[in-house]
Structures are given as structure tokens and as C-alpha cells.
Amino acid sequence: MTIAPGLLPEGLRDRLPPQAEAGSRLLHRVIVAIGRHGYARVSPPLAEFEEGLVGQLKSAGARDLLRFVDPVSQRTLALRPDITAQVGRIAATRMGHRPRPLRLAYGGPVLKLRATQLRPERELTQAGAELIGTDSLAAVIEILRVAVEALEVAGVTGITVDLTLPDLVETLAAGAMPLPADKVDAARAMLDAKDAGGLATLGADAYLPFIEAAGPVGPALAKLRAIAGAQTLDKRLAAIEAIVAAIGDRVALTLDPTERHGFEYQTWIGFSLFGDGLSGEIGRGGSYTIVHPDGTEEKAIGFSLFIDPLVDVGLGAVEHRRVFLPLGTDAATGAALRADDWITIAALSESDDAAALGCTHILRGTTPEAI
């Protein structure tokens, strides 16, 4: 079967000018903003042994991995669908001796096995930060502040943070709202899908009020506190109130305690990030557990931001002054213009057309004149 020229696999695309440049610029801005909070950048490889990607984070499975056999080692490798697990591996091995808390940042491409309706792209540019060694309230507030600042630096406005409690069902099922172990996963899935009928059929009626306890954070907290048996969550709800006090004047805060999709390995808190004019979530984060080679576990919290949706709405684009240099222009003249933040386009023949080449100016003598 012949492939049409220029055809790419489903979910993959070329970034052309000026979007490619905008993406690079946004990634740089985000990484610099994160770094100013003391997060040192690491750069893991695009692919590594499958077991390294799967086993590093507690509760993380082998989902979304595009696998292939390495012709050198004859072992199965996987392309990373997310960089968090790789940062966890680095923290647990090569940087295991470093004092905690350990602050690490990253940025680069990831490749998903399958796209979704909301996010049809399989290749994405991801940037983020991981705070390793703690998942305390202070750590959560720091991570949220860093994420919000990075998005603001990238030009995102009207930021909304949607908080969730990823292990809500496990926490309650083990105590205040008991459920048989073989029904926990089903109850969790039904709550995530807001399936009231399914919960009733499952015999998990006590969990029905949680479906309604979603929305702006103030009313949502009040609804949660009114649920019989939910007192087990009091410390978490108090933590959410502290988060509201710390960042609530900077962003809009909502709470959906039953949201689970995308938070498969997060523990006591998770969050999604949204912005005005942007489709779907533009970032996600939360607390999680890193598994060390000796089996010990380490708490951590972090976030990932997705650069591509920002590029798609025009963020990161910069208007450049592009000056056409006629044949015979002295090299030193071009160098001086570039030092003054001009982009120079040098003529290669007499037939070169300045306007067709995208120039905004043409050099007349020693002075750029608008076309």
C-alpha cells in the first residue's frame, strides 16, 4: 500500500512556522519560570526499558505505552507517554543521595499510544516540576503557585484550578463507608462517570451524595461536610481550605471529589488546570508515591503542563522585524542588524523578492526601510 506524500500517522503532525517557534519559546518561558523557584532541570531519554516506566510510580500501570524491541539489548523498550515516572526514576536512583525535598523540572515531547476525543494529538510537548520527598500541604501550595505562575508567564489568563480527591473511595471504603474489596474499583469508576444508577445497583448508595458535591470550592466543601460518614475527610477538607486561602485570590478554584480519570497514580490530592479560551485541560498534577529499587516508598507532588494547546490559540507568537539584505551587502552590516534584534534575509540572486520572502523591511544603504 502506497502512503501519500506528506501523510503522517494518526495523531502526529508537523509544526510549521511560526507555530514551531512559538512552541519552543513557550517551553523556554515555562521552564525558566519553574527554575526561578529552585527547580533544577533534568532531561530523561525519549525511550527506556518498559519496566522502568511501569514500576516507578505506585499504582501506575502499563497504560498508554508504545512498545518496541530494542535491537541492541533485545529487550522491550517503551516511548514515554509522560515524563513524571522518568523523573521519579532519576530521583530514586541517580539522585537518591541528594537531600530532600528535591526539586526537579523537565520539558520535552511525549507520545501517547492512543488519542482521545478531547485531545486528538498523540505527540505532545510536556513541561513540569516535581517536588520529591514530601506531599505536605506546604508542598501542595508551592507546586500550585509554581504551576500558576508558569502559566501566567506563558500568557494564559482566567486560570481555573479544579481540585480532586483521587483516593476518596479507597479511604472511605476502608472505614466510614465500607465496601467489599471487589467492589471498590467499580464504585470508583461509577463515581468518576457520575453514574448514580450504577452506584445504587452496586449497593454503594452511601456514595451517591458525592456526585452532587462538585462545583465552586466553597459550596462543594459545605456539601461534603454535610455527608454522613464523610468526617474521615475533615483533614483533607481543611487542607483544601488552606489552599483556597493561599491561592484563591489568584485563580478560580473548583472541587470535584470524585474525578478519577487521569489521576490513576495520584494519592490524597490531584488537580487539573484550565484557562480562558483554551479547550480542555492544559495541565494536571497531584501527590503520588515513588517506589525505590529496594521497595521503599517516597512521597512526592508535581504537575505537568501541555504546551501544544497554548500554541494552538496563538500564545508565544512574536512579530519579528525581517529586513532584506540586497546582493553585495557587507557582512558586518548584517551582523550589526542582527545584534539590534533584526532578522536578516540575505539575497542569493537578483531575482529574490523581499516581500515574497516575508520581509517587513529592505535595506537601503545602511537604513532599513519599511516595504
Side-chain angles (χ1 to χ4, degrees), residues 28-66:
H28 176 72
R29 288 177 182 173
V30 165
I31 289 293
V32 169
I34 293 170
R36 285 175 177 158
H37 288 268
Y39 289 76
R41 186 171 182 178
V42 295
S43 184
L46 183 60
E48 58 179 271
F49 295 120
E50 178 188 10
E51 56 264 36
L53 285 174
V54 172
Q56 200 62 64
L57 302 184
K58 188 177 181 181
S59 301
R63 297 173 294 271
D64 223 10
L65 294 181
L66 185 59

PDB file of all heavy atoms in Angstrom, residues 28-66:
ATOM      1  N   HIS A  28      10.446  27.338  26.698  1.00  0.00           N
ATOM      2  CA  HIS A  28      11.546  28.024  27.382  1.00  0.00           C
ATOM      3  C   HIS A  28      11.014  28.913  28.505  1.00  0.00           C
ATOM      4  O   HIS A  28      11.550  28.904  29.617  1.00  0.00           O
ATOM      5  CB  HIS A  28      12.342  28.856  26.374  1.00  0.00           C
ATOM      6  CG  HIS A  28      13.424  29.678  26.995  1.00  0.00           C
ATOM      7  ND1 HIS A  28      14.586  29.133  27.495  1.00  0.00           N
ATOM      8  CD2 HIS A  28      13.517  31.021  27.219  1.00  0.00           C
ATOM      9  CE1 HIS A  28      15.356  30.087  27.984  1.00  0.00           C
ATOM     10  NE2 HIS A  28      14.726  31.244  27.828  1.00  0.00           N
ATOM     11  N   ARG A  29       9.947  29.671  28.227  1.00  0.00           N
ATOM     12  CA  ARG A  29       9.387  30.565  29.249  1.00  0.00           C
ATOM     13  C   ARG A  29       8.913  29.784  30.473  1.00  0.00           C
ATOM     14  O   ARG A  29       9.151  30.185  31.610  1.00  0.00           O
ATOM     15  CB  ARG A  29       8.214  31.356  28.662  1.00  0.00           C
ATOM     16  CG  ARG A  29       8.610  32.445  27.669  1.00  0.00           C
ATOM     17  CD  ARG A  29       7.366  33.106  27.105  1.00  0.00           C
ATOM     18  NE  ARG A  29       7.685  34.115  26.109  1.00  0.00           N
ATOM     19  CZ  ARG A  29       6.780  34.748  25.364  1.00  0.00           C
ATOM     20  NH1 ARG A  29       5.496  34.462  25.530  1.00  0.00           N
ATOM     21  NH2 ARG A  29       7.153  35.639  24.480  1.00  0.00           N
ATOM     22  N   VAL A  30       8.233  28.673  30.221  1.00  0.00           N
ATOM     23  CA  VAL A  30       7.703  27.865  31.317  1.00  0.00           C
ATOM     24  C   VAL A  30       8.837  27.274  32.147  1.00  0.00           C
ATOM     25  O   VAL A  30       8.811  27.317  33.390  1.00  0.00           O
ATOM     26  CB  VAL A  30       6.780  26.766  30.752  1.00  0.00           C
ATOM     27  CG1 VAL A  30       6.499  25.703  31.799  1.00  0.00           C
ATOM     28  CG2 VAL A  30       5.468  27.378  30.260  1.00  0.00           C
ATOM     29  N   ILE A  31       9.853  26.719  31.480  1.00  0.00           N
ATOM     30  CA  ILE A  31      10.970  26.104  32.193  1.00  0.00           C
ATOM     31  C   ILE A  31      11.731  27.146  33.016  1.00  0.00           C
ATOM     32  O   ILE A  31      12.128  26.891  34.159  1.00  0.00           O
ATOM     33  CB  ILE A  31      11.922  25.409  31.206  1.00  0.00           C
ATOM     34  CG1 ILE A  31      11.259  24.152  30.630  1.00  0.00           C
ATOM     35  CG2 ILE A  31      13.230  25.036  31.878  1.00  0.00           C
ATOM     36  CD1 ILE A  31      11.033  23.043  31.624  1.00  0.00           C
ATOM     37  N   VAL A  32      11.923  28.325  32.452  1.00  0.00           N
ATOM     38  CA  VAL A  32      12.614  29.388  33.184  1.00  0.00           C
ATOM     39  C   VAL A  32      11.795  29.809  34.400  1.00  0.00           C
ATOM     40  O   VAL A  32      12.338  29.999  35.503  1.00  0.00           O
ATOM     41  CB  VAL A  32      12.897  30.593  32.261  1.00  0.00           C
ATOM     42  CG1 VAL A  32      13.360  31.800  33.077  1.00  0.00           C
ATOM     43  CG2 VAL A  32      13.962  30.234  31.227  1.00  0.00           C
ATOM     44  N   ALA A  33      10.479  29.953  34.230  1.00  0.00           N
ATOM     45  CA  ALA A  33       9.618  30.348  35.353  1.00  0.00           C
ATOM     46  C   ALA A  33       9.673  29.313  36.475  1.00  0.00           C
ATOM     47  O   ALA A  33       9.737  29.659  37.655  1.00  0.00           O
ATOM     48  CB  ALA A  33       8.182  30.530  34.871  1.00  0.00           C
ATOM     49  N   ILE A  34       9.668  28.039  36.114  1.00  0.00           N
ATOM     50  CA  ILE A  34       9.763  26.980  37.114  1.00  0.00           C
ATOM     51  C   ILE A  34      11.130  27.010  37.794  1.00  0.00           C
ATOM     52  O   ILE A  34      11.250  26.872  39.011  1.00  0.00           O
ATOM     53  CB  ILE A  34       9.501  25.606  36.460  1.00  0.00           C
ATOM     54  CG1 ILE A  34       8.051  25.509  35.982  1.00  0.00           C
ATOM     55  CG2 ILE A  34       9.817  24.468  37.430  1.00  0.00           C
ATOM     56  CD1 ILE A  34       7.758  24.298  35.122  1.00  0.00           C
ATOM     57  N   GLY A  35      12.173  27.191  36.991  1.00  0.00           N
ATOM     58  CA  GLY A  35      13.532  27.197  37.524  1.00  0.00           C
ATOM     59  C   GLY A  35      13.779  28.288  38.533  1.00  0.00           C
ATOM     60  O   GLY A  35      14.605  28.124  39.446  1.00  0.00           O
ATOM     61  N   ARG A  36      13.082  29.389  38.410  1.00  0.00           N
ATOM     62  CA  ARG A  36      13.274  30.502  39.350  1.00  0.00           C
ATOM     63  C   ARG A  36      12.785  30.170  40.753  1.00  0.00           C
ATOM     64  O   ARG A  36      13.088  30.893  41.700  1.00  0.00           O
ATOM     65  CB  ARG A  36      12.579  31.750  38.802  1.00  0.00           C
ATOM     66  CG  ARG A  36      13.353  32.380  37.651  1.00  0.00           C
ATOM     67  CD  ARG A  36      12.631  33.538  37.021  1.00  0.00           C
ATOM     68  NE  ARG A  36      13.443  34.152  35.974  1.00  0.00           N
ATOM     69  CZ  ARG A  36      12.966  34.889  34.978  1.00  0.00           C
ATOM     70  NH1 ARG A  36      11.660  35.099  34.905  1.00  0.00           N
ATOM     71  NH2 ARG A  36      13.770  35.396  34.072  1.00  0.00           N
ATOM     72  N   HIS A  37      12.060  29.080  40.883  1.00  0.00           N
ATOM     73  CA  HIS A  37      11.639  28.620  42.210  1.00  0.00           C
ATOM     74  C   HIS A  37      12.575  27.549  42.750  1.00  0.00           C
ATOM     75  O   HIS A  37      12.251  26.879  43.741  1.00  0.00           O
ATOM     76  CB  HIS A  37      10.212  28.074  42.144  1.00  0.00           C
ATOM     77  CG  HIS A  37       9.169  29.144  41.968  1.00  0.00           C
ATOM     78  ND1 HIS A  37       8.522  29.745  43.029  1.00  0.00           N
ATOM     79  CD2 HIS A  37       8.684  29.731  40.848  1.00  0.00           C
ATOM     80  CE1 HIS A  37       7.665  30.641  42.567  1.00  0.00           C
ATOM     81  NE2 HIS A  37       7.735  30.658  41.255  1.00  0.00           N
ATOM     82  N   GLY A  38      13.710  27.367  42.112  1.00  0.00           N
ATOM     83  CA  GLY A  38      14.694  26.418  42.615  1.00  0.00           C
ATOM     84  C   GLY A  38      14.591  25.019  42.048  1.00  0.00           C
ATOM     85  O   GLY A  38      15.232  24.090  42.559  1.00  0.00           O
ATOM     86  N   TYR A  39      13.832  24.834  40.964  1.00  0.00           N
ATOM     87  CA  TYR A  39      13.677  23.525  40.338  1.00  0.00           C
ATOM     88  C   TYR A  39      14.738  23.353  39.251  1.00  0.00           C
ATOM     89  O   TYR A  39      14.748  24.089  38.260  1.00  0.00           O
ATOM     90  CB  TYR A  39      12.267  23.366  39.761  1.00  0.00           C
ATOM     91  CG  TYR A  39      11.220  23.231  40.838  1.00  0.00           C
ATOM     92  CD1 TYR A  39      10.785  24.345  41.561  1.00  0.00           C
ATOM     93  CD2 TYR A  39      10.690  21.990  41.169  1.00  0.00           C
ATOM     94  CE1 TYR A  39       9.840  24.234  42.574  1.00  0.00           C
ATOM     95  CE2 TYR A  39       9.739  21.867  42.184  1.00  0.00           C
ATOM     96  CZ  TYR A  39       9.323  22.986  42.877  1.00  0.00           C
ATOM     97  OH  TYR A  39       8.399  22.869  43.894  1.00  0.00           O
ATOM     98  N   ALA A  40      15.632  22.390  39.452  1.00  0.00           N
ATOM     99  CA  ALA A  40      16.733  22.147  38.514  1.00  0.00           C
ATOM    100  C   ALA A  40      16.260  21.212  37.408  1.00  0.00           C
ATOM    101  O   ALA A  40      15.604  20.196  37.663  1.00  0.00           O
ATOM    102  CB  ALA A  40      17.920  21.529  39.252  1.00  0.00           C
ATOM    103  N   ARG A  41      16.637  21.528  36.180  1.00  0.00           N
ATOM    104  CA  ARG A  41      16.124  20.767  35.042  1.00  0.00           C
ATOM    105  C   ARG A  41      16.874  19.456  34.844  1.00  0.00           C
ATOM    106  O   ARG A  41      18.095  19.403  34.943  1.00  0.00           O
ATOM    107  CB  ARG A  41      16.207  21.600  33.761  1.00  0.00           C
ATOM    108  CG  ARG A  41      15.551  20.917  32.567  1.00  0.00           C
ATOM    109  CD  ARG A  41      15.444  21.830  31.378  1.00  0.00           C
ATOM    110  NE  ARG A  41      14.780  21.168  30.264  1.00  0.00           N
ATOM    111  CZ  ARG A  41      14.511  21.744  29.102  1.00  0.00           C
ATOM    112  NH1 ARG A  41      14.864  23.011  28.907  1.00  0.00           N
ATOM    113  NH2 ARG A  41      13.914  21.078  28.135  1.00  0.00           N
ATOM    114  N   VAL A  42      16.093  18.408  34.545  1.00  0.00           N
ATOM    115  CA  VAL A  42      16.644  17.125  34.115  1.00  0.00           C
ATOM    116  C   VAL A  42      16.086  16.831  32.723  1.00  0.00           C
ATOM    117  O   VAL A  42      15.055  17.377  32.327  1.00  0.00           O
ATOM    118  CB  VAL A  42      16.305  15.984  35.088  1.00  0.00           C
ATOM    119  CG1 VAL A  42      16.973  16.204  36.430  1.00  0.00           C
ATOM    120  CG2 VAL A  42      14.792  15.843  35.263  1.00  0.00           C
ATOM    121  N   SER A  43      16.775  15.946  31.999  1.00  0.00           N
ATOM    122  CA  SER A  43      16.351  15.634  30.635  1.00  0.00           C
ATOM    123  C   SER A  43      16.443  14.131  30.398  1.00  0.00           C
ATOM    124  O   SER A  43      17.466  13.631  29.934  1.00  0.00           O
ATOM    125  CB  SER A  43      17.220  16.392  29.622  1.00  0.00           C
ATOM    126  OG  SER A  43      16.755  16.176  28.302  1.00  0.00           O
ATOM    127  N   PRO A  44      15.390  13.383  30.710  1.00  0.00           N
ATOM    128  CA  PRO A  44      15.400  11.928  30.507  1.00  0.00           C
ATOM    129  C   PRO A  44      15.294  11.593  29.017  1.00  0.00           C
ATOM    130  O   PRO A  44      14.878  12.425  28.203  1.00  0.00           O
ATOM    131  CB  PRO A  44      14.153  11.448  31.265  1.00  0.00           C
ATOM    132  CG  PRO A  44      13.639  12.631  32.017  1.00  0.00           C
ATOM    133  CD  PRO A  44      14.141  13.847  31.308  1.00  0.00           C
ATOM    134  N   PRO A  45      15.640  10.351  28.638  1.00  0.00           N
ATOM    135  CA  PRO A  45      15.549   9.945  27.229  1.00  0.00           C
ATOM    136  C   PRO A  45      14.103   9.753  26.792  1.00  0.00           C
ATOM    137  O   PRO A  45      13.209   9.545  27.610  1.00  0.00           O
ATOM    138  CB  PRO A  45      16.312   8.618  27.204  1.00  0.00           C
ATOM    139  CG  PRO A  45      16.145   8.073  28.584  1.00  0.00           C
ATOM    140  CD  PRO A  45      16.166   9.280  29.495  1.00  0.00           C
ATOM    141  N   LEU A  46      13.896   9.794  25.495  1.00  0.00           N
ATOM    142  CA  LEU A  46      12.551   9.629  24.946  1.00  0.00           C
ATOM    143  C   LEU A  46      12.017   8.216  25.163  1.00  0.00           C
ATOM    144  O   LEU A  46      10.818   8.004  25.329  1.00  0.00           O
ATOM    145  CB  LEU A  46      12.557   9.957  23.446  1.00  0.00           C
ATOM    146  CG  LEU A  46      11.218   9.916  22.715  1.00  0.00           C
ATOM    147  CD1 LEU A  46      10.240  10.905  23.308  1.00  0.00           C
ATOM    148  CD2 LEU A  46      11.428  10.193  21.225  1.00  0.00           C
ATOM    149  N   ALA A  47      12.908   7.225  25.178  1.00  0.00           N
ATOM    150  CA  ALA A  47      12.510   5.830  25.377  1.00  0.00           C
ATOM    151  C   ALA A  47      13.416   5.189  26.420  1.00  0.00           C
ATOM    152  O   ALA A  47      14.573   5.577  26.580  1.00  0.00           O
ATOM    153  CB  ALA A  47      12.602   5.057  24.055  1.00  0.00           C
ATOM    154  N   GLU A  48      12.878   4.196  27.116  1.00  0.00           N
ATOM    155  CA  GLU A  48      13.680   3.424  28.057  1.00  0.00           C
ATOM    156  C   GLU A  48      13.030   2.060  28.269  1.00  0.00           C
ATOM    157  O   GLU A  48      11.987   1.758  27.678  1.00  0.00           O
ATOM    158  CB  GLU A  48      13.869   4.163  29.372  1.00  0.00           C
ATOM    159  CG  GLU A  48      12.618   4.553  30.127  1.00  0.00           C
ATOM    160  CD  GLU A  48      12.968   5.249  31.433  1.00  0.00           C
ATOM    161  OE1 GLU A  48      13.137   4.541  32.437  1.00  0.00           O
ATOM    162  OE2 GLU A  48      13.080   6.496  31.435  1.00  0.00           O
ATOM    163  N   PHE A  49      13.653   1.216  29.096  1.00  0.00           N
ATOM    164  CA  PHE A  49      13.102  -0.114  29.320  1.00  0.00           C
ATOM    165  C   PHE A  49      11.688  -0.010  29.870  1.00  0.00           C
ATOM    166  O   PHE A  49      11.402   0.807  30.757  1.00  0.00           O
ATOM    167  CB  PHE A  49      13.988  -0.909  30.276  1.00  0.00           C
ATOM    168  CG  PHE A  49      15.351  -1.205  29.728  1.00  0.00           C
ATOM    169  CD1 PHE A  49      16.486  -0.748  30.372  1.00  0.00           C
ATOM    170  CD2 PHE A  49      15.512  -1.927  28.548  1.00  0.00           C
ATOM    171  CE1 PHE A  49      17.750  -1.011  29.874  1.00  0.00           C
ATOM    172  CE2 PHE A  49      16.766  -2.196  28.035  1.00  0.00           C
ATOM    173  CZ  PHE A  49      17.893  -1.745  28.694  1.00  0.00           C
ATOM    174  N   GLU A  50      10.816  -0.865  29.358  1.00  0.00           N
ATOM    175  CA  GLU A  50       9.409  -0.804  29.729  1.00  0.00           C
ATOM    176  C   GLU A  50       9.207  -0.896  31.238  1.00  0.00           C
ATOM    177  O   GLU A  50       8.429  -0.136  31.812  1.00  0.00           O
ATOM    178  CB  GLU A  50       8.648  -1.940  29.042  1.00  0.00           C
ATOM    179  CG  GLU A  50       7.184  -1.988  29.407  1.00  0.00           C
ATOM    180  CD  GLU A  50       6.476  -3.225  28.880  1.00  0.00           C
ATOM    181  OE1 GLU A  50       7.172  -4.140  28.388  1.00  0.00           O
ATOM    182  OE2 GLU A  50       5.246  -3.273  28.968  1.00  0.00           O
ATOM    183  N   GLU A  51       9.921  -1.805  31.887  1.00  0.00           N
ATOM    184  CA  GLU A  51       9.696  -1.989  33.324  1.00  0.00           C
ATOM    185  C   GLU A  51      10.082  -0.747  34.123  1.00  0.00           C
ATOM    186  O   GLU A  51       9.546  -0.502  35.206  1.00  0.00           O
ATOM    187  CB  GLU A  51      10.451  -3.216  33.850  1.00  0.00           C
ATOM    188  CG  GLU A  51      11.938  -3.206  33.596  1.00  0.00           C
ATOM    189  CD  GLU A  51      12.328  -3.981  32.348  1.00  0.00           C
ATOM    190  OE1 GLU A  51      11.553  -3.942  31.365  1.00  0.00           O
ATOM    191  OE2 GLU A  51      13.405  -4.599  32.351  1.00  0.00           O
ATOM    192  N   GLY A  52      11.009   0.044  33.601  1.00  0.00           N
ATOM    193  CA  GLY A  52      11.390   1.279  34.282  1.00  0.00           C
ATOM    194  C   GLY A  52      10.277   2.305  34.266  1.00  0.00           C
ATOM    195  O   GLY A  52      10.081   3.052  35.229  1.00  0.00           O
ATOM    196  N   LEU A  53       9.526   2.355  33.164  1.00  0.00           N
ATOM    197  CA  LEU A  53       8.420   3.300  33.063  1.00  0.00           C
ATOM    198  C   LEU A  53       7.204   2.825  33.849  1.00  0.00           C
ATOM    199  O   LEU A  53       6.444   3.632  34.383  1.00  0.00           O
ATOM    200  CB  LEU A  53       8.031   3.496  31.588  1.00  0.00           C
ATOM    201  CG  LEU A  53       8.972   4.356  30.743  1.00  0.00           C
ATOM    202  CD1 LEU A  53       8.542   4.337  29.292  1.00  0.00           C
ATOM    203  CD2 LEU A  53       9.013   5.787  31.255  1.00  0.00           C
ATOM    204  N   VAL A  54       7.023   1.518  33.932  1.00  0.00           N
ATOM    205  CA  VAL A  54       5.820   0.974  34.557  1.00  0.00           C
ATOM    206  C   VAL A  54       5.931   0.921  36.071  1.00  0.00           C
ATOM    207  O   VAL A  54       4.993   1.241  36.791  1.00  0.00           O
ATOM    208  CB  VAL A  54       5.523  -0.437  34.003  1.00  0.00           C
ATOM    209  CG1 VAL A  54       4.386  -1.094  34.785  1.00  0.00           C
ATOM    210  CG2 VAL A  54       5.174  -0.355  32.530  1.00  0.00           C
ATOM    211  N   GLY A  55       7.091   0.514  36.598  1.00  0.00           N
ATOM    212  CA  GLY A  55       7.187   0.207  38.018  1.00  0.00           C
ATOM    213  C   GLY A  55       7.636   1.328  38.918  1.00  0.00           C
ATOM    214  O   GLY A  55       7.762   1.131  40.129  1.00  0.00           O
ATOM    215  N   GLN A  56       7.869   2.528  38.370  1.00  0.00           N
ATOM    216  CA  GLN A  56       8.460   3.572  39.191  1.00  0.00           C
ATOM    217  C   GLN A  56       7.473   4.265  40.115  1.00  0.00           C
ATOM    218  O   GLN A  56       7.805   4.658  41.228  1.00  0.00           O
ATOM    219  CB  GLN A  56       9.128   4.625  38.290  1.00  0.00           C
ATOM    220  CG  GLN A  56      10.154   5.454  38.997  1.00  0.00           C
ATOM    221  CD  GLN A  56      11.304   4.622  39.519  1.00  0.00           C
ATOM    222  OE1 GLN A  56      12.051   4.026  38.762  1.00  0.00           O
ATOM    223  NE2 GLN A  56      11.442   4.556  40.828  1.00  0.00           N
ATOM    224  N   LEU A  57       6.236   4.429  39.628  1.00  0.00           N
ATOM    225  CA  LEU A  57       5.222   5.116  40.432  1.00  0.00           C
ATOM    226  C   LEU A  57       4.216   4.105  40.954  1.00  0.00           C
ATOM    227  O   LEU A  57       3.673   3.293  40.205  1.00  0.00           O
ATOM    228  CB  LEU A  57       4.496   6.183  39.606  1.00  0.00           C
ATOM    229  CG  LEU A  57       5.382   7.264  38.981  1.00  0.00           C
ATOM    230  CD1 LEU A  57       4.512   8.290  38.273  1.00  0.00           C
ATOM    231  CD2 LEU A  57       6.270   7.926  40.015  1.00  0.00           C
ATOM    232  N   LYS A  58       3.951   4.151  42.248  1.00  0.00           N
ATOM    233  CA  LYS A  58       2.992   3.230  42.850  1.00  0.00           C
ATOM    234  C   LYS A  58       1.605   3.460  42.252  1.00  0.00           C
ATOM    235  O   LYS A  58       1.185   4.602  42.067  1.00  0.00           O
ATOM    236  CB  LYS A  58       2.952   3.442  44.368  1.00  0.00           C
ATOM    237  CG  LYS A  58       2.134   2.395  45.113  1.00  0.00           C
ATOM    238  CD  LYS A  58       2.208   2.628  46.617  1.00  0.00           C
ATOM    239  CE  LYS A  58       1.415   1.564  47.361  1.00  0.00           C
ATOM    240  NZ  LYS A  58       1.458   1.781  48.829  1.00  0.00           N
ATOM    241  N   SER A  59       0.939   2.388  41.916  1.00  0.00           N
ATOM    242  CA  SER A  59      -0.409   2.400  41.341  1.00  0.00           C
ATOM    243  C   SER A  59      -0.431   2.751  39.868  1.00  0.00           C
ATOM    244  O   SER A  59      -1.494   2.748  39.249  1.00  0.00           O
ATOM    245  CB  SER A  59      -1.357   3.372  42.089  1.00  0.00           C
ATOM    246  OG  SER A  59      -1.449   3.005  43.443  1.00  0.00           O
ATOM    247  N   ALA A  60       0.716   3.078  39.275  1.00  0.00           N
ATOM    248  CA  ALA A  60       0.743   3.353  37.841  1.00  0.00           C
ATOM    249  C   ALA A  60       0.827   2.035  37.086  1.00  0.00           C
ATOM    250  O   ALA A  60       1.561   1.134  37.465  1.00  0.00           O
ATOM    251  CB  ALA A  60       1.936   4.235  37.492  1.00  0.00           C
ATOM    252  N   GLY A  61       0.056   1.913  36.012  1.00  0.00           N
ATOM    253  CA  GLY A  61       0.057   0.685  35.234  1.00  0.00           C
ATOM    254  C   GLY A  61       0.782   0.855  33.920  1.00  0.00           C
ATOM    255  O   GLY A  61       1.448   1.860  33.664  1.00  0.00           O
ATOM    256  N   ALA A  62       0.631  -0.159  33.068  1.00  0.00           N
ATOM    257  CA  ALA A  62       1.313  -0.166  31.773  1.00  0.00           C
ATOM    258  C   ALA A  62       0.431   0.425  30.688  1.00  0.00           C
ATOM    259  O   ALA A  62       0.465   0.001  29.544  1.00  0.00           O
ATOM    260  CB  ALA A  62       1.720  -1.592  31.420  1.00  0.00           C
ATOM    261  N   ARG A  63      -0.374   1.408  31.045  1.00  0.00           N
ATOM    262  CA  ARG A  63      -1.273   2.018  30.077  1.00  0.00           C
ATOM    263  C   ARG A  63      -0.522   2.992  29.179  1.00  0.00           C
ATOM    264  O   ARG A  63       0.441   3.633  29.590  1.00  0.00           O
ATOM    265  CB  ARG A  63      -2.393   2.786  30.805  1.00  0.00           C
ATOM    266  CG  ARG A  63      -3.303   1.903  31.655  1.00  0.00           C
ATOM    267  CD  ARG A  63      -4.270   2.754  32.463  1.00  0.00           C
ATOM    268  NE  ARG A  63      -3.573   3.553  33.464  1.00  0.00           N
ATOM    269  CZ  ARG A  63      -3.311   3.134  34.693  1.00  0.00           C
ATOM    270  NH1 ARG A  63      -3.645   1.924  35.059  1.00  0.00           N
ATOM    271  NH2 ARG A  63      -2.687   3.913  35.550  1.00  0.00           N
ATOM    272  N   ASP A  64      -1.025   3.088  27.953  1.00  0.00           N
ATOM    273  CA  ASP A  64      -0.597   4.156  27.048  1.00  0.00           C
ATOM    274  C   ASP A  64       0.857   4.055  26.619  1.00  0.00           C
ATOM    275  O   ASP A  64       1.477   5.063  26.268  1.00  0.00           O
ATOM    276  CB  ASP A  64      -0.841   5.520  27.712  1.00  0.00           C
ATOM    277  CG  ASP A  64      -1.433   6.523  26.732  1.00  0.00           C
ATOM    278  OD1 ASP A  64      -1.818   6.112  25.628  1.00  0.00           O
ATOM    279  OD2 ASP A  64      -1.496   7.710  27.067  1.00  0.00           O
ATOM    280  N   LEU A  65       1.443   2.872  26.652  1.00  0.00           N
ATOM    281  CA  LEU A  65       2.839   2.709  26.264  1.00  0.00           C
ATOM    282  C   LEU A  65       2.944   2.192  24.837  1.00  0.00           C
ATOM    283  O   LEU A  65       2.349   1.164  24.487  1.00  0.00           O
ATOM    284  CB  LEU A  65       3.561   1.735  27.196  1.00  0.00           C
ATOM    285  CG  LEU A  65       3.743   2.152  28.653  1.00  0.00           C
ATOM    286  CD1 LEU A  65       4.501   1.070  29.403  1.00  0.00           C
ATOM    287  CD2 LEU A  65       4.468   3.484  28.764  1.00  0.00           C
ATOM    288  N   LEU A  66       3.688   2.874  24.003  1.00  0.00           N
ATOM    289  CA  LEU A  66       4.010   2.403  22.662  1.00  0.00           C
ATOM    290  C   LEU A  66       5.335   1.652  22.755  1.00  0.00           C
ATOM    291  O   LEU A  66       6.377   2.246  23.036  1.00  0.00           O
ATOM    292  CB  LEU A  66       4.114   3.586  21.695  1.00  0.00           C
ATOM    293  CG  LEU A  66       4.322   3.243  20.220  1.00  0.00           C
ATOM    294  CD1 LEU A  66       3.179   2.375  19.703  1.00  0.00           C
ATOM    295  CD2 LEU A  66       4.426   4.515  19.396  1.00  0.00           C
TER     296      LEU A  66
END
